[in-house]
Amino acid sequence: MAWSDLVASLTEDGYLVAQWESSFAAVPRHPFIPAQCWAHREDGTVTELDREARPLEWEKAVTSDMALVLAKENGRPTTSASMPRMVAMMLRELDVRDGNTLLEIGAGTGWNSALASHRLGSGSVTTIEVDVHFAERAAARLKAVGFTPRVVWGDGAKGWEAEAPYERFIATCAVQHVPYSWVEQTQGVMVVPWGNGMCNGALLRLESDGRAATGKVVEEASFMWMTGHAPADWPQESEEPEDSEGDRSSTGTDPRVLTPNEARFAVGLGVPGCRYGVDWGDAPKGADCTLWLTDGKSTASVRYMPEGTSFPVRQSGPRRLWHEVEAAYHWWEGQGRPGFGRFGLTVDGDGERAWLDSSDNPLPFQST
């Protein structure tokens, strides 16, 4: 697929709106993608790409609507170039106007900043990157194609007060909690990937006046976590709580209820700091499995058996995570199983509050 074909398909599908079409056509992502990276396809397969060894394969991946992983640590992706569809969708939600200034959190490859610079002018764009090497490479790539936005090396959670306020704000990494500094530095639209330990998968569009920001989820979206926002690690054996054998009980709630993304997202809001995992053992999916939960200090497990109507539970640590998960799930069911688009968030000087349908209807549990 040629780059022009991809631009046409994104436009036809409604991801790429007219005010960004010329920028996408003029600024393909080729110059911003390193010679070696990995293509993560929607079917779950991963392909290692090498421009020097297999140039046609590299070219095809770069001009396709797929995410490209640029760096890994211990085998886990740490930096990526988002799918062009996602980039176009986020820029669409920004609803930019001529003369707007923009702050971007997460320079990454520099491509997003290049698109914004083409649309708004380099002098109107500031991007901040926590990794000095990525910041330097992004600045070099931008300069090579004729753009000179302000590229800052620093902690994106603090924003960049020197040029505030900004009329538009975009984050290219996911957060569990929206830093208030972002709200204070923005007087306009904010587009922020928002997730929790159970589901990294929502895109917020907030309106900020510099004192408070509020808005709803507009799409499903999964991004790399911003530094310090990733879910808690599983406890090491030496860190197991003293009551590691835990409380034993049983539940009539099938632990597989967390399968839908919408359920996990809602439950994650109700059980802050909790992450999950599923152990299938050697059995095929649909047979015995165990749901594991942790917040880094407490753990819980629930074993599913196809023939069972009651499932064994074990919980240890200061929290009873399964009880919290079960309560949040039943709340979600009681609300009619709401999808992503019914959730929203308000952030102000008093903290943040997740809500359902309206900011006047906060969740019965705090998101912080």
Side-chain angles (χ1 to χ4, degrees):
M1 176 185 287
W3 184 255
S4 58
D5 294 330
L6 178 60
V7 171
S9 68
L10 293 174
T11 304
E12 183 178 347
D13 292 341
Y15 293 103
L16 184 56
V17 293
Q19 63 173 298
W20 287 102
E21 191 173 355
S22 63
S23 296
F24 267 72
V27 189
R29 68 173 178 171
H30 306 58
F32 300 91
I33 304 301
Q36 294 180 317
C37 55
W38 297 266
H40 280 227
R41 306 177 193 279
E42 291 188 338
D43 62 4
T45 60
V46 179
T47 304
E48 186 172 356
L49 303 173
D50 188 322
R51 185 176 58 199
E52 303 304 320
R54 299 180 300 279
L56 293 180
E57 183 182 38
W58 183 92
E59 178 81 12
K60 182 178 180 181
V62 172
T63 57
S64 297
D65 189 29
M66 66 173 65
L68 302 174
V69 172
L70 310 180
K72 295 184 179 184
E73 186 174 315
N74 298 322
R76 298 170 60 183
T78 57
T79 306
S80 68
S82 299
M83 300 168 68
R85 172 177 53 190
M86 185 62 64
V87 173
M89 182 180 70
M90 292 179 72
L91 293 176
R92 178 192 71 194
E93 295 300 329
L94 272 181
D95 192 26
V96 298
R97 297 289 186 268
D98 291 346
N100 282 166
T101 54
L102 171 69
L103 175 62
E104 176 191 46
I105 305 298
T109 65
W111 182 47
N112 209 60
S113 298
L115 293 168
S117 295
H118 183 275
R119 174 66 182 82
L120 297 171
S122 293
S124 297
V125 178
T126 300
T127 182
I128 185 166
E129 172 60 49
V130 70
D131 187 310
V132 63
H133 301 296
F134 273 98
E136 291 173 346
R137 279 182 282 184
R141 288 166 179 156
L142 283 158
K143 185 176 181 180
V145 295
F147 298 112
T148 56
R150 185 176 293 100
V151 181
V152 178
W153 169 43
D155 181 2
K158 298 177 181 178
W160 187 248
E161 190 175 5
E163 304 298 322
Y166 305 91
E167 285 85 31
R168 295 295 185 268
F169 176 98
I170 190 169
T172 62
C173 48
V175 296
Q176 294 202 49
H177 307 291
V178 175
Y180 187 57
S181 58
W182 294 359
V183 176
E184 292 180 302
Q185 295 173 23
T186 307
Q187 293 183 12
V189 178
M190 304 175 65
V191 176
V192 181
W194 179 41
N196 54 62
M198 304 292 282
C199 180
N200 173 1
L203 187 67
L204 280 170
R205 185 186 190 275
L206 306 173
E207 296 273 357
S208 173
D209 62 5
R211 298 182 300 276
T214 190
K216 297 186 75 173
V217 173
V218 292
E219 293 281 354
E220 288 189 61
S222 181
F223 280 77
M224 300 290 181
W225 291 108
M226 189 171 77
T227 301
H229 282 247
D233 288 331
W234 297 95
Q236 299 296 318
E237 188 172 344
S238 60
E239 299 173 345
E240 285 286 335
E242 291 182 5
D243 61 338
S244 59
E245 286 300 313
D247 294 339
R248 295 177 183 270
S249 59
S250 62
T251 179
T253 303
D254 187 329
R256 298 175 304 164
V257 295
L258 297 180
T259 299
N261 286 344
E262 296 87 349
R264 287 190 287 105
F265 180 73
V267 168
L269 292 175
V271 191
C274 183
R275 69 180 302 179
Y276 84 106
V278 179
D279 181 8
W280 295 97
D282 296 327
K285 290 191 176 182
D288 289 20
C289 65
T290 301
L291 171 70
W292 289 92
L293 305 166
T294 189
D295 66 353
K297 295 180 180 179
S298 301
T299 60
S301 65
V302 187
R303 185 183 175 197
Y304 168 76
M305 296 165 289
E307 68 280 3
T309 56
S310 179
F311 309 100
V313 178
R314 189 174 74 176
Q315 303 181 89
S316 62
R319 296 172 68 181
R320 293 300 175 256
L321 291 174
W322 171 250
H323 291 160
E324 293 184 38
V325 164
E326 197 171 28
Y329 174 77
H330 289 310
W331 172 85
W332 177 72
E333 271 198 320
Q335 300 300 312
R337 299 177 170 236
F340 287 92
R342 290 180 59 188
F343 288 94
L345 188 71
T346 296
V347 188
D348 57 26
D350 295 325
E352 65 178 40
R353 295 169 297 285
W355 41 265
L356 184 69
D357 297 326
S358 166
S359 59
D360 296 329
N361 184 32
L363 303 190
F365 28 72
Q366 286 297 310
S367 60
T368 56

